[in-house]
Amino acid sequence: MRTTHQFIENQEKWCVIRTLQNRLEYNMQIPFFQKIPQGQRFLLAGCGGGYDIITAIPLYFYLKSLGKEVVLANLSFTDLANSNCEMVLPDCYLIDGKAKNLAYFPEKLLRDWLKQQNEQPMIYAFRNSVGVQPLRQIYQYLKKQHCIDTLVLADGGTDSLMFGDELGVATIVEDSLSILASAKAGFNRAYLMAVGFGVEKFHGLDHYPCLQNIATLTKKGAYLGAFSLTPDMAEGQKYLDFLAYEKQNAQRNSIVNHSIANAMCGEFGDYHSLAQTKGSEQFINPFMPLYWHFELQAIAQEIVFADKVEHSQTLQAFYDEYEIYRLKNRRRKGLRELPI
């Protein structure tokens, strides 16, 4: 009788295990969100600087809902030396309640809004004059200071997916700087997410090789899936709420983020919600709210000028080496319209 009872009990346990396995196998989650639960302490950092960190708002609230600890950071175009914020490391500032109301200060704007959401955010800003080596030291400092196990770089736009041999690369310098500095900073897990496909056409981004690069990363197993942010998602509503706050309180608004928000709300084509874009042609479209996710290390390995800028101490030195590489080396085929 005991043997029969044990057999039935073991069968029941096996059925429970198989049910749990099936739930894991058929949960319709993209790989990125399957990996997220492995982390406990996250650093979300703006990849190209400016308002890039704002694209991390949805992930910030999702991680908080899971009980994760989250620190925010951004490569900054703000005059941090005159911001009244504490410099915790050379070129790295803690954005706190003492921050001045400067004309352009996305990090303070985000902190003030998060406080209104009953959040107690830790936000850091990095001077955009640093090269690979000092920026890597900053990432290593934050990793140690906050016991960070998972890094996610956030890019508003998709120039972070350019490898450097394309004809039109938009503003690749700051993005590649962040990627190369952080990829070797020693994080257990490191990812990149990019949103706003098509928004950088006015910056001269060639979207044909951008898609080609995504295909290359897919072949390497480094593409972790995509999802579209919508207004009826709680995270999407937080994103839109911040942009409404930003529009009222910032002297300079984010063209990229407002383009994404317009697409989320169903606008299309040459639509303008900001005075800044008047006089230019916009192409607001449903691809813009798509968040694409990747293994960070795989992108860093594809950047063709990585070795040339590895030891840079300043952004100017980084840029000089990048320019020399671009002058000496051939590009892929010229700008191509997408055949769709």
Side-chain angles (χ1 to χ4, degrees):
M1 288 292 292
R2 177 174 293 181
T3 302
T4 302
H5 177 74
Q6 287 176 336
F7 175 78
I8 294 173
E9 186 177 331
N10 289 338
Q11 285 292 97
E12 289 175 348
K13 287 180 179 178
W14 175 246
C15 287
V16 171
I17 292 171
R18 287 301 303 162
T19 300
L20 290 173
Q21 287 177 339
N22 286 338
R23 286 177 183 170
L24 290 173
E25 291 169 2
Y26 301 108
N27 61 10
M28 291 294 287
Q29 281 192 336
I30 62 173
F32 178 74
F33 288 111
Q34 293 175 9
K35 291 175 177 287
I36 282 298
Q38 300 171 16
Q40 293 301 320
R41 298 179 180 87
F42 288 75
L43 175 61
L44 308 185
C47 187
Y51 277 102
D52 274 3
I53 187 58
I54 304 311
T55 65
I57 285 176
L59 183 58
Y60 173 88
F61 282 100
Y62 176 71
L63 291 172
K64 296 288 285 188
S65 76
L66 298 179
K68 309 296 185 181
E69 295 182 25
V70 185
V71 175
L72 298 168
N74 198 37
L75 188 67
S76 182
F77 301 137
T78 299
D79 184 9
L80 294 172
N82 292 312
S83 67
N84 204 36
C85 293
E86 178 188 1
M87 186 171 68
V88 297
L89 201 69
D91 302 308
C92 178
Y93 293 76
L94 175 64
I95 310 304
D96 55 22
K98 298 177 293 183
K100 287 182 181 178
N101 289 315
L102 301 176
Y104 181 81
F105 207 164
E107 299 84 7
K108 174 179 168 26
L109 203 66
L110 176 59
R111 181 191 179 278
D112 291 347
W113 177 78
L114 284 172
K115 293 284 286 186
Q116 291 185 8
Q117 312 300 308
N118 298 315
E119 295 290 322
Q120 303 296 323
M122 294 288 292
I123 303 181
Y124 295 88
F126 320 139
R127 290 179 63 189
N128 70 327
S129 58
V130 295
V132 169
Q133 291 299 318
L135 185 55
R136 184 173 297 152
Q137 291 170 10
I138 291 171
Y139 274 110
Q140 289 169 336
Y141 166 81
L142 294 180
K143 174 180 175 292
K144 182 178 180 180
Q145 185 74 9
H146 296 282
C147 300
I148 302 294
D149 55 46
T150 307
L151 167 71
V152 183
L153 292 186
D155 183 25
T158 53
D159 50 359
S160 59
L161 303 177
M162 307 308 272
F163 299 158
D165 61 345
E166 307 86 356
L167 187 63
V169 294
T171 56
I172 187 180
V173 171
E174 289 84 1
D175 294 277
S176 55
L177 167 67
S178 294
I179 291 167
L180 294 172
S182 61
K184 293 183 179 179
F187 293 97
N188 293 343
R189 288 168 290 276
Y191 310 109
L192 180 138
M193 63 181 185
V195 60
F197 183 85
V199 76
E200 289 161 317
K201 184 175 176 61
F202 65 93
H203 280 157
L205 185 74
D206 189 352
H207 288 87
Y208 187 97
C210 181
L211 290 175
Q212 184 181 27
N213 293 350
I214 292 174
T216 297
L217 294 168
T218 301
K219 283 184 179 180
K220 293 179 67 174
Y223 173 50
L224 303 178
F227 79 95
S228 187
L229 190 68
T230 64
D232 55 349
M233 298 165 65
E235 299 88 346
Q237 193 58 59
K238 289 291 188 184
Y239 180 70
L240 295 176
D241 286 349
F242 170 81
L243 289 174
Y245 175 86
E246 177 253 21
K247 197 170 184 179
Q248 288 184 342
N249 293 278
Q251 295 183 36
R252 289 170 54 192
N253 303 116
S254 171
I255 294 174
V256 169
N257 282 288
H258 281 279
S259 296
I260 294 166
N262 291 335
M264 286 174 62
C265 296
E267 302 298 344
F268 182 78
D270 193 19
Y271 178 83
H272 301 261
S273 62
L274 298 176
Q276 295 162 245
T277 64
K278 298 292 175 62
S280 65
E281 184 179 359
Q282 296 283 94
F283 182 52
I284 306 300
N285 68 83
F287 286 117
M288 288 182 175
L290 275 173
Y291 276 79
W292 310 69
H293 305 82
F294 304 88
E295 296 280 359
L296 181 65
Q297 189 65 41
I299 300 174
Q301 291 170 354
E302 294 292 337
I303 295 175
V304 294
F305 53 87
D307 291 344
K308 304 297 182 183
V309 299
E310 170 63 21
H311 300 289
S312 60
Q313 293 293 326
T314 66
L315 181 64
Q316 186 61 54
F318 184 105
Y319 182 79
D320 291 344
E321 291 295 337
Y322 158 79
E323 281 287 286
I324 292 170
Y325 182 91
R326 294 272 291 175
L327 286 170
K328 289 184 175 180
N329 293 274
R330 297 180 62 183
R331 313 284 198 276
R332 287 186 228 173
K333 289 183 179 180
L335 287 169
R336 290 185 59 179
E337 292 296 324
L338 294 177
I340 55 176

